[in-house]
Amino acid sequence: MRLKDRVAIITGGGQGIGRATCLTFAKEGANIVIAEYNPTTAETVGKEIKALGVECLVIQTDVSNGDSVRSMVKQALDSFGRIDILVNNAGIFSYTQIEDCTEEEWDRMMAVNLKGPFLCSQAVIDTMKTQKSGRIISLGSLAGQVGGLVASAPYSASKAGVMCLTKSLARALGPHNITVNAIAPGVAATDMTTNHPDLTSQMVLGRVAQPVEVANTILFLASDEGSYVTGFTLNVNGGMFMSS
Ligand SMILES: NC(=O)c1ccc[n+]([C@@H]2O[C@H](COP(=O)([O-])OP(=O)(O)OC[C@H]3O[C@@H](n4cnc5c(N)ncnc54)[C@H](O)[C@@H]3O)[C@@H](O)[C@H]2O)c1
């Protein structure tokens, strides 16, 4: 039980990597707050989590909206009285060519993928500072490291922003014993990647990731084993790209 009695907020926990993270954390004893835009998928995952014997609060949240995020964090605190872990997982994706990318698409991508992690992190900081401990883990992407193999420019740029935001937050919050890290998946088998072309020939391991394989790396950064890691982006890409 590596997260026994800890409280974790997981954004976008209704499916894919977020769902896998919810279930992985719950199996390790964490109580879960699912902050998800889609109430139907979130309720289904909420039932799966409760069946594992921990508590779960489902809160419909739009991570791109500050009022929605602050209300979600308040409800989490009202229910659990503490927040130990925030996983900034909610995200949206597109393949749009740069010539076709509208201002609206650019703004929405930045609002969900980059402003979302900023708003959620900002909303939990006071609580984590008071607790003198906390873990923030955000989903970056290989696209944000290499410019996107199939992903659009706004998606790739938003994820590069997430990975730099991670370093800025790590610098600011380290003195308060709050670690801040990112995960950079390559391709994981979720709804987001259903229409991806086959990129497995570019993966040293020759296959895409299962969501739980990404969740397990998030668990490492959230658990006591990850206590001295901060400001880091962990590649979970099957050897598709190897940064220094
Ligand atoms: N799947 C991959 O190969 C891959 C690769 C690199 C990075 N990522 C990142 O991992 C994260 C999870 O990806 P996934 O593949 O599980 O995606 P997914 O599309 O399967 O799930 C995303 C979840 O986020 C939720 N969401 C979307 N907008 C939201 C909002 N405004 N507020 C709250 N929730 C919202 C969706 O409802 C959904 O449940 C994303 O940030 C994604 O960019 C995924």
Side-chain angles (χ1 to χ4, degrees):
M1 286 284 177
R2 291 155 77 186
L3 301 180
K4 187 155 176 51
D5 295 333
R6 288 181 211 172
V7 176
I9 296 175
I10 298 165
T11 70
Q15 64 181 54
I17 293 168
R19 172 180 173 272
T21 305
C22 286
L23 296 172
T24 299
F25 279 22
K27 285 174 190 162
E28 295 292 339
N31 297 311
I32 308 291
V33 178
I34 306 180
E36 164 63 62
Y37 195 68
N38 181 336
T40 310
T41 57
E43 287 296 347
T44 303
V45 177
K47 284 182 190 145
E48 292 180 272
I49 289 170
K50 285 179 186 162
L52 293 167
V54 296
E55 291 182 56
C56 180
L57 187 64
V58 172
I59 306 172
Q60 187 176 15
T61 309
D62 178 354
V63 297
S64 70
N65 180 303
D67 288 339
S68 176
V69 167
R70 287 183 287 273
S71 165
M72 176 272 291
V73 170
K74 183 177 180 310
Q75 290 175 66
L77 281 171
D78 287 348
S79 289
F80 293 115
R82 58 182 300 114
I83 297 166
D84 299 291
I85 303 158
L86 166 67
V87 181
N88 286 312
N89 164 79
I92 55 174
F93 180 86
S94 74
Y95 297 100
T96 314
Q97 297 296 305
I98 191 67
E99 296 86 347
D100 302 323
C101 181
T102 62
E103 208 174 325
E104 289 72 25
E105 178 180 339
W106 179 274
D107 288 347
R108 186 66 190 151
M109 197 69 72
M110 293 299 157
V112 176
N113 289 4
L114 183 52
K115 191 168 81 167
F118 154 69
L119 289 171
C120 293
S121 303
Q122 190 184 51
V124 302
I125 284 171
D126 279 351
T127 301
M128 289 184 175
K129 276 185 177 176
T130 304
Q131 293 170 184
K132 297 187 173 52
S133 71
R135 299 290 168 89
I136 298 174
I137 300 128
S138 302
L139 270 293
S141 173
L142 177 138
Q145 297 167 312
V146 304
L149 300 175
V150 294
S152 66
Y155 177 83
S156 306
S158 71
K159 291 298 181 178
V162 167
M163 293 184 281
C164 191
L165 175 67
T166 294
K167 294 181 189 175
S168 300
L169 292 175
R171 287 184 192 283
L173 302 178
H176 302 278
N177 192 32
I178 301 166
T179 68
V180 188
N181 293 290
I183 300 287
V187 183
T190 69
D191 285 3
M192 187 175 276
T193 59
T194 306
N195 295 318
H196 271 23
D198 184 358
L199 298 170
T200 49
S201 65
Q202 299 186 42
M203 298 165 194
V204 172
L205 296 182
R207 62 175 181 83
V208 302
Q210 292 306 307
V212 71
E213 295 179 289
V214 182
N216 283 333
T217 65
I218 300 172
L219 171 63
F220 164 68
L221 293 169
S223 69
D224 291 346
E225 286 88 338
S227 58
Y228 200 63
V229 182
T230 198
F232 179 62
T233 293
L234 175 55
N235 291 343
V236 187
N237 62 29
M240 206 172 174
F241 168 70
M242 303 184 198
S243 56
S244 58

PDB file of all heavy atoms in Angstrom, residues 95-121:
ATOM      1  N   TYR A  95      -4.904  16.513 -34.911  1.00  0.00           N
ATOM      2  CA  TYR A  95      -3.926  16.246 -35.981  1.00  0.00           C
ATOM      3  C   TYR A  95      -3.827  17.435 -36.950  1.00  0.00           C
ATOM      4  O   TYR A  95      -3.136  17.331 -37.960  1.00  0.00           O
ATOM      5  CB  TYR A  95      -4.379  15.038 -36.808  1.00  0.00           C
ATOM      6  CG  TYR A  95      -4.463  13.723 -36.065  1.00  0.00           C
ATOM      7  CD1 TYR A  95      -5.694  13.242 -35.602  1.00  0.00           C
ATOM      8  CD2 TYR A  95      -3.331  12.941 -35.865  1.00  0.00           C
ATOM      9  CE1 TYR A  95      -5.778  12.022 -34.952  1.00  0.00           C
ATOM     10  CE2 TYR A  95      -3.413  11.714 -35.220  1.00  0.00           C
ATOM     11  CZ  TYR A  95      -4.638  11.264 -34.766  1.00  0.00           C
ATOM     12  OH  TYR A  95      -4.724  10.050 -34.120  1.00  0.00           O
ATOM     13  N   THR A  96      -4.528  18.514 -36.658  1.00  0.00           N
ATOM     14  CA  THR A  96      -4.699  19.607 -37.624  1.00  0.00           C
ATOM     15  C   THR A  96      -3.378  20.120 -38.197  1.00  0.00           C
ATOM     16  O   THR A  96      -2.431  20.388 -37.456  1.00  0.00           O
ATOM     17  CB  THR A  96      -5.418  20.793 -36.930  1.00  0.00           C
ATOM     18  OG1 THR A  96      -6.525  20.284 -36.192  1.00  0.00           O
ATOM     19  CG2 THR A  96      -5.891  21.816 -37.938  1.00  0.00           C
ATOM     20  N   GLN A  97      -3.339  20.252 -39.526  1.00  0.00           N
ATOM     21  CA  GLN A  97      -2.165  20.850 -40.166  1.00  0.00           C
ATOM     22  C   GLN A  97      -2.108  22.333 -39.821  1.00  0.00           C
ATOM     23  O   GLN A  97      -3.147  22.983 -39.653  1.00  0.00           O
ATOM     24  CB  GLN A  97      -2.268  20.686 -41.690  1.00  0.00           C
ATOM     25  CG  GLN A  97      -2.263  19.233 -42.156  1.00  0.00           C
ATOM     26  CD  GLN A  97      -0.946  18.527 -41.840  1.00  0.00           C
ATOM     27  OE1 GLN A  97       0.113  18.993 -42.229  1.00  0.00           O
ATOM     28  NE2 GLN A  97      -1.014  17.415 -41.125  1.00  0.00           N
ATOM     29  N   ILE A  98      -0.914  22.866 -39.758  1.00  0.00           N
ATOM     30  CA  ILE A  98      -0.749  24.249 -39.302  1.00  0.00           C
ATOM     31  C   ILE A  98      -1.539  25.238 -40.174  1.00  0.00           C
ATOM     32  O   ILE A  98      -2.115  26.210 -39.680  1.00  0.00           O
ATOM     33  CB  ILE A  98       0.756  24.642 -39.233  1.00  0.00           C
ATOM     34  CG1 ILE A  98       0.951  25.979 -38.515  1.00  0.00           C
ATOM     35  CG2 ILE A  98       1.417  24.637 -40.601  1.00  0.00           C
ATOM     36  CD1 ILE A  98       0.614  25.974 -37.068  1.00  0.00           C
ATOM     37  N   GLU A  99      -1.621  24.963 -41.493  1.00  0.00           N
ATOM     38  CA  GLU A  99      -2.347  25.881 -42.390  1.00  0.00           C
ATOM     39  C   GLU A  99      -3.827  25.931 -42.048  1.00  0.00           C
ATOM     40  O   GLU A  99      -4.508  26.911 -42.342  1.00  0.00           O
ATOM     41  CB  GLU A  99      -2.209  25.428 -43.862  1.00  0.00           C
ATOM     42  CG  GLU A  99      -0.805  25.460 -44.422  1.00  0.00           C
ATOM     43  CD  GLU A  99      -0.013  24.187 -44.141  1.00  0.00           C
ATOM     44  OE1 GLU A  99      -0.459  23.366 -43.306  1.00  0.00           O
ATOM     45  OE2 GLU A  99       1.066  24.042 -44.739  1.00  0.00           O
ATOM     46  N   ASP A 100      -4.337  24.854 -41.439  1.00  0.00           N
ATOM     47  CA  ASP A 100      -5.779  24.761 -41.161  1.00  0.00           C
ATOM     48  C   ASP A 100      -6.128  25.069 -39.708  1.00  0.00           C
ATOM     49  O   ASP A 100      -7.298  25.017 -39.330  1.00  0.00           O
ATOM     50  CB  ASP A 100      -6.276  23.335 -41.495  1.00  0.00           C
ATOM     51  CG  ASP A 100      -6.004  22.968 -42.940  1.00  0.00           C
ATOM     52  OD1 ASP A 100      -6.129  23.866 -43.796  1.00  0.00           O
ATOM     53  OD2 ASP A 100      -5.652  21.804 -43.206  1.00  0.00           O
ATOM     54  N   CYS A 101      -5.145  25.362 -38.898  1.00  0.00           N
ATOM     55  CA  CYS A 101      -5.400  25.548 -37.461  1.00  0.00           C
ATOM     56  C   CYS A 101      -6.014  26.918 -37.208  1.00  0.00           C
ATOM     57  O   CYS A 101      -5.412  27.948 -37.517  1.00  0.00           O
ATOM     58  CB  CYS A 101      -4.085  25.400 -36.684  1.00  0.00           C
ATOM     59  SG  CYS A 101      -4.316  25.596 -34.913  1.00  0.00           S
ATOM     60  N   THR A 102      -7.210  26.917 -36.652  1.00  0.00           N
ATOM     61  CA  THR A 102      -7.881  28.188 -36.371  1.00  0.00           C
ATOM     62  C   THR A 102      -7.409  28.761 -35.034  1.00  0.00           C
ATOM     63  O   THR A 102      -6.861  28.039 -34.192  1.00  0.00           O
ATOM     64  CB  THR A 102      -9.402  27.985 -36.290  1.00  0.00           C
ATOM     65  OG1 THR A 102      -9.660  27.078 -35.193  1.00  0.00           O
ATOM     66  CG2 THR A 102      -9.968  27.416 -37.582  1.00  0.00           C
ATOM     67  N   GLU A 103      -7.677  30.036 -34.865  1.00  0.00           N
ATOM     68  CA  GLU A 103      -7.350  30.686 -33.591  1.00  0.00           C
ATOM     69  C   GLU A 103      -8.123  30.017 -32.453  1.00  0.00           C
ATOM     70  O   GLU A 103      -7.606  29.846 -31.353  1.00  0.00           O
ATOM     71  CB  GLU A 103      -7.753  32.162 -33.697  1.00  0.00           C
ATOM     72  CG  GLU A 103      -6.947  33.077 -32.841  1.00  0.00           C
ATOM     73  CD  GLU A 103      -7.303  34.535 -33.114  1.00  0.00           C
ATOM     74  OE1 GLU A 103      -7.600  34.901 -34.277  1.00  0.00           O
ATOM     75  OE2 GLU A 103      -7.295  35.304 -32.143  1.00  0.00           O
ATOM     76  N   GLU A 104      -9.373  29.614 -32.744  1.00  0.00           N
ATOM     77  CA  GLU A 104     -10.199  28.963 -31.725  1.00  0.00           C
ATOM     78  C   GLU A 104      -9.571  27.634 -31.286  1.00  0.00           C
ATOM     79  O   GLU A 104      -9.545  27.317 -30.099  1.00  0.00           O
ATOM     80  CB  GLU A 104     -11.621  28.703 -32.252  1.00  0.00           C
ATOM     81  CG  GLU A 104     -12.468  29.949 -32.432  1.00  0.00           C
ATOM     82  CD  GLU A 104     -12.040  30.825 -33.604  1.00  0.00           C
ATOM     83  OE1 GLU A 104     -11.423  30.312 -34.568  1.00  0.00           O
ATOM     84  OE2 GLU A 104     -12.306  32.040 -33.550  1.00  0.00           O
ATOM     85  N   GLU A 105      -9.074  26.845 -32.261  1.00  0.00           N
ATOM     86  CA  GLU A 105      -8.455  25.563 -31.894  1.00  0.00           C
ATOM     87  C   GLU A 105      -7.202  25.807 -31.058  1.00  0.00           C
ATOM     88  O   GLU A 105      -6.966  25.124 -30.053  1.00  0.00           O
ATOM     89  CB  GLU A 105      -8.097  24.721 -33.126  1.00  0.00           C
ATOM     90  CG  GLU A 105      -7.416  23.415 -32.697  1.00  0.00           C
ATOM     91  CD  GLU A 105      -7.016  22.491 -33.842  1.00  0.00           C
ATOM     92  OE1 GLU A 105      -7.575  22.608 -34.943  1.00  0.00           O
ATOM     93  OE2 GLU A 105      -6.140  21.634 -33.600  1.00  0.00           O
ATOM     94  N   TRP A 106      -6.386  26.759 -31.481  1.00  0.00           N
ATOM     95  CA  TRP A 106      -5.166  27.086 -30.719  1.00  0.00           C
ATOM     96  C   TRP A 106      -5.532  27.427 -29.275  1.00  0.00           C
ATOM     97  O   TRP A 106      -4.962  26.887 -28.322  1.00  0.00           O
ATOM     98  CB  TRP A 106      -4.426  28.249 -31.379  1.00  0.00           C
ATOM     99  CG  TRP A 106      -3.190  28.639 -30.622  1.00  0.00           C
ATOM    100  CD1 TRP A 106      -3.126  29.501 -29.558  1.00  0.00           C
ATOM    101  CD2 TRP A 106      -1.863  28.141 -30.803  1.00  0.00           C
ATOM    102  NE1 TRP A 106      -1.835  29.578 -29.084  1.00  0.00           N
ATOM    103  CE2 TRP A 106      -1.045  28.752 -29.828  1.00  0.00           C
ATOM    104  CE3 TRP A 106      -1.289  27.243 -31.708  1.00  0.00           C
ATOM    105  CZ2 TRP A 106       0.326  28.491 -29.738  1.00  0.00           C
ATOM    106  CZ3 TRP A 106       0.076  26.989 -31.609  1.00  0.00           C
ATOM    107  CH2 TRP A 106       0.866  27.598 -30.632  1.00  0.00           C
ATOM    108  N   ASP A 107      -6.530  28.323 -29.135  1.00  0.00           N
ATOM    109  CA  ASP A 107      -6.892  28.792 -27.790  1.00  0.00           C
ATOM    110  C   ASP A 107      -7.445  27.655 -26.932  1.00  0.00           C
ATOM    111  O   ASP A 107      -7.130  27.565 -25.745  1.00  0.00           O
ATOM    112  CB  ASP A 107      -7.936  29.924 -27.880  1.00  0.00           C
ATOM    113  CG  ASP A 107      -7.332  31.227 -28.387  1.00  0.00           C
ATOM    114  OD1 ASP A 107      -6.087  31.334 -28.430  1.00  0.00           O
ATOM    115  OD2 ASP A 107      -8.112  32.134 -28.756  1.00  0.00           O
ATOM    116  N   ARG A 108      -8.272  26.782 -27.518  1.00  0.00           N
ATOM    117  CA  ARG A 108      -8.868  25.682 -26.735  1.00  0.00           C
ATOM    118  C   ARG A 108      -7.781  24.693 -26.292  1.00  0.00           C
ATOM    119  O   ARG A 108      -7.779  24.218 -25.159  1.00  0.00           O
ATOM    120  CB  ARG A 108      -9.946  24.969 -27.569  1.00  0.00           C
ATOM    121  CG  ARG A 108     -10.732  23.917 -26.798  1.00  0.00           C
ATOM    122  CD  ARG A 108     -11.577  24.535 -25.683  1.00  0.00           C
ATOM    123  NE  ARG A 108     -12.150  23.526 -24.800  1.00  0.00           N
ATOM    124  CZ  ARG A 108     -12.434  23.723 -23.522  1.00  0.00           C
ATOM    125  NH1 ARG A 108     -12.233  24.911 -22.957  1.00  0.00           N
ATOM    126  NH2 ARG A 108     -12.943  22.772 -22.787  1.00  0.00           N
ATOM    127  N   MET A 109      -6.847  24.402 -27.208  1.00  0.00           N
ATOM    128  CA  MET A 109      -5.768  23.465 -26.879  1.00  0.00           C
ATOM    129  C   MET A 109      -4.945  24.006 -25.709  1.00  0.00           C
ATOM    130  O   MET A 109      -4.624  23.272 -24.763  1.00  0.00           O
ATOM    131  CB  MET A 109      -4.887  23.274 -28.121  1.00  0.00           C
ATOM    132  CG  MET A 109      -3.988  22.075 -28.078  1.00  0.00           C
ATOM    133  SD  MET A 109      -4.851  20.482 -28.169  1.00  0.00           S
ATOM    134  CE  MET A 109      -5.383  20.428 -29.869  1.00  0.00           C
ATOM    135  N   MET A 110      -4.610  25.291 -25.799  1.00  0.00           N
ATOM    136  CA  MET A 110      -3.808  25.887 -24.714  1.00  0.00           C
ATOM    137  C   MET A 110      -4.621  25.938 -23.418  1.00  0.00           C
ATOM    138  O   MET A 110      -4.079  25.736 -22.330  1.00  0.00           O
ATOM    139  CB  MET A 110      -3.359  27.309 -25.088  1.00  0.00           C
ATOM    140  CG  MET A 110      -2.386  27.359 -26.225  1.00  0.00           C
ATOM    141  SD  MET A 110      -0.852  26.473 -25.859  1.00  0.00           S
ATOM    142  CE  MET A 110      -0.288  26.142 -27.520  1.00  0.00           C
ATOM    143  N   ALA A 111      -5.904  26.213 -23.542  1.00  0.00           N
ATOM    144  CA  ALA A 111      -6.747  26.362 -22.344  1.00  0.00           C
ATOM    145  C   ALA A 111      -6.855  25.046 -21.579  1.00  0.00           C
ATOM    146  O   ALA A 111      -6.745  25.018 -20.349  1.00  0.00           O
ATOM    147  CB  ALA A 111      -8.135  26.872 -22.738  1.00  0.00           C
ATOM    148  N   VAL A 112      -7.072  23.950 -22.289  1.00  0.00           N
ATOM    149  CA  VAL A 112      -7.233  22.650 -21.605  1.00  0.00           C
ATOM    150  C   VAL A 112      -5.865  22.088 -21.217  1.00  0.00           C
ATOM    151  O   VAL A 112      -5.633  21.701 -20.070  1.00  0.00           O
ATOM    152  CB  VAL A 112      -7.991  21.640 -22.501  1.00  0.00           C
ATOM    153  CG1 VAL A 112      -8.055  20.271 -21.825  1.00  0.00           C
ATOM    154  CG2 VAL A 112      -9.392  22.153 -22.816  1.00  0.00           C
ATOM    155  N   ASN A 113      -4.939  22.042 -22.183  1.00  0.00           N
ATOM    156  CA  ASN A 113      -3.687  21.292 -21.978  1.00  0.00           C
ATOM    157  C   ASN A 113      -2.650  22.048 -21.154  1.00  0.00           C
ATOM    158  O   ASN A 113      -1.835  21.414 -20.482  1.00  0.00           O
ATOM    159  CB  ASN A 113      -3.056  20.930 -23.330  1.00  0.00           C
ATOM    160  CG  ASN A 113      -3.835  19.866 -24.067  1.00  0.00           C
ATOM    161  OD1 ASN A 113      -4.894  19.428 -23.616  1.00  0.00           O
ATOM    162  ND2 ASN A 113      -3.343  19.450 -25.216  1.00  0.00           N
ATOM    163  N   LEU A 114      -2.654  23.386 -21.219  1.00  0.00           N
ATOM    164  CA  LEU A 114      -1.606  24.144 -20.526  1.00  0.00           C
ATOM    165  C   LEU A 114      -2.175  25.000 -19.393  1.00  0.00           C
ATOM    166  O   LEU A 114      -1.665  24.967 -18.268  1.00  0.00           O
ATOM    167  CB  LEU A 114      -0.842  25.016 -21.537  1.00  0.00           C
ATOM    168  CG  LEU A 114       0.326  25.826 -20.990  1.00  0.00           C
ATOM    169  CD1 LEU A 114       1.311  24.975 -20.197  1.00  0.00           C
ATOM    170  CD2 LEU A 114       1.058  26.534 -22.140  1.00  0.00           C
ATOM    171  N   LYS A 115      -3.255  25.748 -19.675  1.00  0.00           N
ATOM    172  CA  LYS A 115      -3.846  26.540 -18.586  1.00  0.00           C
ATOM    173  C   LYS A 115      -4.445  25.616 -17.528  1.00  0.00           C
ATOM    174  O   LYS A 115      -4.399  25.921 -16.335  1.00  0.00           O
ATOM    175  CB  LYS A 115      -4.908  27.507 -19.130  1.00  0.00           C
ATOM    176  CG  LYS A 115      -5.359  28.523 -18.078  1.00  0.00           C
ATOM    177  CD  LYS A 115      -6.191  29.652 -18.671  1.00  0.00           C
ATOM    178  CE  LYS A 115      -7.628  29.221 -18.864  1.00  0.00           C
ATOM    179  NZ  LYS A 115      -8.543  30.342 -19.140  1.00  0.00           N
ATOM    180  N   GLY A 116      -4.992  24.468 -17.964  1.00  0.00           N
ATOM    181  CA  GLY A 116      -5.570  23.520 -17.006  1.00  0.00           C
ATOM    182  C   GLY A 116      -4.577  23.121 -15.926  1.00  0.00           C
ATOM    183  O   GLY A 116      -4.851  23.263 -14.727  1.00  0.00           O
ATOM    184  N   PRO A 117      -3.399  22.588 -16.297  1.00  0.00           N
ATOM    185  CA  PRO A 117      -2.406  22.247 -15.273  1.00  0.00           C
ATOM    186  C   PRO A 117      -1.982  23.446 -14.423  1.00  0.00           C
ATOM    187  O   PRO A 117      -1.740  23.303 -13.215  1.00  0.00           O
ATOM    188  CB  PRO A 117      -1.233  21.708 -16.095  1.00  0.00           C
ATOM    189  CG  PRO A 117      -1.891  21.127 -17.313  1.00  0.00           C
ATOM    190  CD  PRO A 117      -3.035  22.060 -17.620  1.00  0.00           C
ATOM    191  N   PHE A 118      -1.896  24.639 -15.019  1.00  0.00           N
ATOM    192  CA  PHE A 118      -1.580  25.838 -14.230  1.00  0.00           C
ATOM    193  C   PHE A 118      -2.673  26.093 -13.191  1.00  0.00           C
ATOM    194  O   PHE A 118      -2.394  26.268 -12.000  1.00  0.00           O
ATOM    195  CB  PHE A 118      -1.425  27.055 -15.166  1.00  0.00           C
ATOM    196  CG  PHE A 118      -1.720  28.369 -14.510  1.00  0.00           C
ATOM    197  CD1 PHE A 118      -0.883  28.891 -13.521  1.00  0.00           C
ATOM    198  CD2 PHE A 118      -2.856  29.097 -14.855  1.00  0.00           C
ATOM    199  CE1 PHE A 118      -1.166  30.103 -12.900  1.00  0.00           C
ATOM    200  CE2 PHE A 118      -3.154  30.299 -14.245  1.00  0.00           C
ATOM    201  CZ  PHE A 118      -2.317  30.805 -13.256  1.00  0.00           C
ATOM    202  N   LEU A 119      -3.937  26.090 -13.643  1.00  0.00           N
ATOM    203  CA  LEU A 119      -5.045  26.396 -12.716  1.00  0.00           C
ATOM    204  C   LEU A 119      -5.136  25.345 -11.604  1.00  0.00           C
ATOM    205  O   LEU A 119      -5.322  25.692 -10.427  1.00  0.00           O
ATOM    206  CB  LEU A 119      -6.367  26.446 -13.488  1.00  0.00           C
ATOM    207  CG  LEU A 119      -6.583  27.639 -14.417  1.00  0.00           C
ATOM    208  CD1 LEU A 119      -7.843  27.426 -15.264  1.00  0.00           C
ATOM    209  CD2 LEU A 119      -6.695  28.946 -13.620  1.00  0.00           C
ATOM    210  N   CYS A 120      -5.030  24.078 -11.972  1.00  0.00           N
ATOM    211  CA  CYS A 120      -5.168  23.010 -10.959  1.00  0.00           C
ATOM    212  C   CYS A 120      -4.004  23.061  -9.967  1.00  0.00           C
ATOM    213  O   CYS A 120      -4.200  22.901  -8.758  1.00  0.00           O
ATOM    214  CB  CYS A 120      -5.247  21.642 -11.633  1.00  0.00           C
ATOM    215  SG  CYS A 120      -6.745  21.403 -12.595  1.00  0.00           S
ATOM    216  N   SER A 121      -2.795  23.274 -10.497  1.00  0.00           N
ATOM    217  CA  SER A 121      -1.633  23.345  -9.593  1.00  0.00           C
ATOM    218  C   SER A 121      -1.778  24.527  -8.656  1.00  0.00           C
ATOM    219  O   SER A 121      -1.580  24.404  -7.433  1.00  0.00           O
ATOM    220  CB  SER A 121      -0.330  23.473 -10.404  1.00  0.00           C
ATOM    221  OG  SER A 121      -0.200  22.391 -11.297  1.00  0.00           O
TER     222      SER A 121
END
